[in-house]
Amino acid sequence: MAAKATRDNRTKFILDERDLPTRWYNIQADLKTPAPPVLHPGTGQPIGPQDLAPLFPMELIKQEVSQERWIEIPDEVRDVLRLWRPSPLYRARRLEKALGTNAHIYYKYEGVSPAGSHKPNTAIAQAYYNKKEKVTRIATETGAGQWGSALAMACAFFGLQCKVYMVKVSYQQKPYRRIMMETWGAQVVASPSPDTQAGKKVLEQDANSPGSLGIAISEAVEDAATRDDTKYSLGSVLNHVLMHQTIIGQETKKQLEKADDEADIVIGCAGGGSNFAGLSFPYAADKLTGRNRKLRIIAVEPSACPSLTKGTYAYDFGDTVGLTPLVKMHTLGHGFVPAPLHAGGLRYHGMAPLVCKLYDEKVIEAVAVPQIATFQAAVQFARTEGIIPAPESAHAIRIAIDEALRSKKEGKRKTIVFNLSGHGHFDLGAYEAHLTGKLQDYEYPAEKIAEALRGVPQIKG
Ligand SMILES: Cc1ncc(COP(=O)(O)O)c(C=O)c1O
């Protein structure tokens, strides 16, 4: 029937601005047991709001520990999000055809934000609450530059100063990301930098350190803790950051309804865990509450930095130097400096505690993929769907393709949804390396990880 055929050919599922979610979903309300408490590094005791007050505005601290299932999104935040949200959901028909699969593949495209990724979803909220509590300057770290760009833009919207410690390897690989941040008014330095004690300490040990997210976090935390006018902002890992991203999954559910389809497999790449959580937590809710126990939810990480699949589930520092509180997470050891792979946003030694808890309880799965196979998937995606993905997002594409091929082999038709968390327009150096055969896979760094794990504090919990 012609009408049915037209309907079945739909490629984009677009929501109206009025469908922009009005609430964030807080998965803490649906956990069977509460998430392990965050501990004070000095006393080993659970920390209270006042311990975090030098670093974060109080409203975000409240959200961090809230047990409310839904938290209202302020109108001022929705007004900014409206610039690019709701983001589109695509059916990857051309990729499906190239794979010859019976699977339905959908991707939620977060690269439509002005900064090019999902990161502004939380940057806007964080800048808003800082402004509301009269903070005038924010310090942060950035890996690939996506988070720094997002926060630089958010600070421009709310009239805040912004200092970004950018992991040195990315600073060198991606000068245009730096210029983007500077265009939005941020000050950007390569980390480790001589601007902080933490940076100086690392440089003394290794003047050529490529940097890591852990080191850059140490610098930004120190910056905020030592200045009255400054708070710290983190682009992932923390509960409130993951919660701000849940608008992604809420929108996706509505869009899949429009497509008359239902997800069997939900996939996201995971660095600190925020885009993975953003898409998957509204789905994990269905597993936790028994509405859909069969759903598979897969986090994808790089095999050179496999915190979920190879890390220890233990209390560790969120940064390299040991300035942050202790959080229970899958960690490769806070001293672990990952190889300079191109997915800079996935080079983090730990993982969001809420993602780790769901992994520990087998609500979600995790898999690690090597760099070259990831870029092969990225190129296949670009040549069929057009969008050149961020190397981070390409990790999700790799597994979406693998699952679609498995679906074909087993003859079971699956609906696969993944988060295309950003575009790769500033990652063309990495694509060039891949296209000219210069890209390398990094071996699983067993010895380096074993050494870093010896530095994890011995805390029971
Ligand atoms: C495009 C993109 N996707 C994913 C990530 C990973 O971060 P997270 O795990 O917090 O989503 C990053 C981090 O910078 C990123 O830039």
Side-chain angles (χ1 to χ4, degrees):
M1 278 184 324
K4 177 86 177 148
T6 315
R7 194 171 160 78
D8 283 350
N9 282 343
R10 283 176 305 166
T11 300
K12 288 197 297 306
F13 300 90
I14 307 283
L15 297 176
D16 192 86
E17 255 179 56
R18 279 169 303 194
D19 294 320
L20 185 64
T22 55
R23 303 178 300 175
W24 290 302
Y25 167 62
N26 179 12
I27 200 164
Q28 296 196 70
D30 287 321
L31 295 175
K32 279 181 216 84
T33 54
V38 173
L39 304 181
H40 192 285
T43 62
Q45 294 302 309
I47 56 166
Q50 284 316 321
D51 294 311
L52 292 174
L55 294 183
F56 302 105
M58 201 39 83
E59 202 54 43
L60 292 177
I61 297 173
K62 281 193 207 151
Q63 290 182 3
E64 189 64 16
V65 294
S66 169
Q67 300 297 312
E68 295 289 320
R69 182 168 290 108
W70 298 103
I71 292 181
E72 210 69 30
I73 307 176
D75 284 345
E76 293 88 337
V77 172
R78 294 177 79 240
D79 281 346
V80 180
L81 295 179
R82 230 187 288 284
L83 285 172
W84 68 92
R85 300 205 77 84
S87 66
L89 179 78
Y90 287 87
R91 169 96 182 263
R93 293 186 182 274
R94 301 173 67 87
L95 176 64
E96 286 171 17
K97 201 164 164 213
L99 297 172
T101 179
N102 56 355
H104 292 181
I105 307 175
Y106 295 86
Y107 54 96
K108 177 75 166 159
Y109 187 39
E110 289 295 310
V112 293
S113 80
S117 79
H118 63 297
K119 296 283 180 183
N121 297 334
T122 181
I124 300 299
Q126 294 193 46
Y128 165 77
Y129 288 115
N130 273 288
K131 179 73 180 183
K132 208 170 158 220
E133 295 186 28
K134 311 227 172 333
V135 177
T136 58
R137 181 176 174 274
I138 300 184
T140 197
E141 72 292 326
T142 193
Q146 291 270 22
W147 167 242
S149 309
L151 192 70
M153 179 183 78
C155 285
F157 285 145
F158 289 99
L160 299 165
Q161 293 175 57
C162 182
K163 167 104 181 234
V164 182
Y165 294 87
M166 184 171 186
V167 175
K168 197 198 281 166
V169 59
S170 294
Y171 186 93
Q172 289 161 347
Q173 282 168 353
K174 298 184 188 184
Y176 293 124
R177 272 278 165 207
R178 169 178 58 76
I179 297 166
M180 207 173 173
M181 291 184 258
E182 289 169 349
T183 303
W184 275 311
Q187 187 199 349
V188 188
V189 289
S191 166
S193 81
D195 294 9
T196 64
Q197 295 308 320
K200 281 186 203 154
K201 196 169 145 187
V202 177
L203 287 172
E204 268 163 29
Q205 282 161 8
D206 178 6
N208 297 316
S209 165
S212 70
L213 274 173
I215 296 169
I217 294 174
S218 297
E219 292 207 81
V221 167
E222 180 186 321
D223 180 316
T226 51
R227 287 180 61 142
D228 285 343
D229 62 347
T230 303
K231 296 264 190 239
Y232 168 64
S233 173
L234 186 59
S236 192
V237 182
L238 298 174
N239 303 344
H240 67 267
V241 180
L242 272 53
M243 187 185 72
H244 295 158
Q245 295 292 354
T246 57
I247 47 179
I248 300 174
Q250 292 183 58
E251 287 178 6
T252 304
K253 280 183 151 182
K254 278 195 194 161
Q255 287 162 310
L256 269 184
E257 261 173 41
K258 281 194 160 199
D260 298 324
D261 219 334
E262 212 175 317
D264 296 303
I265 306 176
V266 172
I267 302 170
C269 68
S274 74
N275 94 91
F276 167 73
L279 174 67
S280 72
F281 278 10
Y283 283 98
D286 294 342
K287 285 192 89 169
L288 289 167
T289 54
R291 279 196 295 273
N292 183 355
R293 287 198 201 284
K294 284 203 302 229
L295 185 71
R296 289 179 62 207
I297 302 177
I298 310 174
V300 191
E301 55 185 13
S303 35
C305 191
S307 54
L308 273 176
T309 50
K310 293 271 174 66
T312 313
Y313 191 33
Y315 272 100
D316 198 7
F317 293 104
D319 69 321
T320 298
V321 173
L323 299 177
T324 67
L326 292 161
V327 288
K328 189 161 179 196
M329 59 181 176
H330 284 83
T331 176
L332 299 168
H334 61 275
F336 175 64
V337 179
L341 50 130
H342 285 281
L346 305 186
R347 294 179 67 242
Y348 183 57
H349 67 272
M351 184 58 68
L354 286 175
V355 171
C356 294
K357 185 162 165 63
L358 294 182
Y359 182 58
D360 194 53
E361 292 175 359
K362 303 201 168 27
V363 179
I364 64 163
E365 305 165 35
V367 55
V369 292
Q371 179 159 252
I372 293 176
T374 300
F375 273 86
Q376 284 165 348
V379 168
Q380 185 170 25
F381 185 81
R383 290 180 186 176
T384 48
E385 294 295 315
I387 297 168
I388 298 176
E392 291 83 1
S393 321
H395 286 70
I397 301 176
R398 174 74 271 158
I399 294 304
I401 291 177
D402 290 351
E403 288 294 338
L405 292 175
R406 193 210 306 224
S407 174
K408 171 177 165 182
K409 201 164 146 212
E410 293 177 354
K412 293 181 192 149
R413 197 198 65 69
K414 297 285 181 202
T415 295
I416 299 167
V417 186
F418 72 88
N419 200 5
L420 188 62
S421 51
H423 67 63
H425 298 173
F426 297 96
D427 301 279
L428 295 178
Y431 278 91
E432 184 181 33
H434 174 63
L435 296 172
T436 54
K438 294 196 189 98
L439 208 65
Q440 62 176 109
D441 274 337
Y442 295 99
E443 291 295 313
Y444 168 64
E447 266 176 39
K448 269 176 74 183
I449 290 174
E451 190 190 327
L453 285 175
R454 282 195 283 277
V456 172
Q458 299 298 308
I459 291 172
K460 288 207 182 83

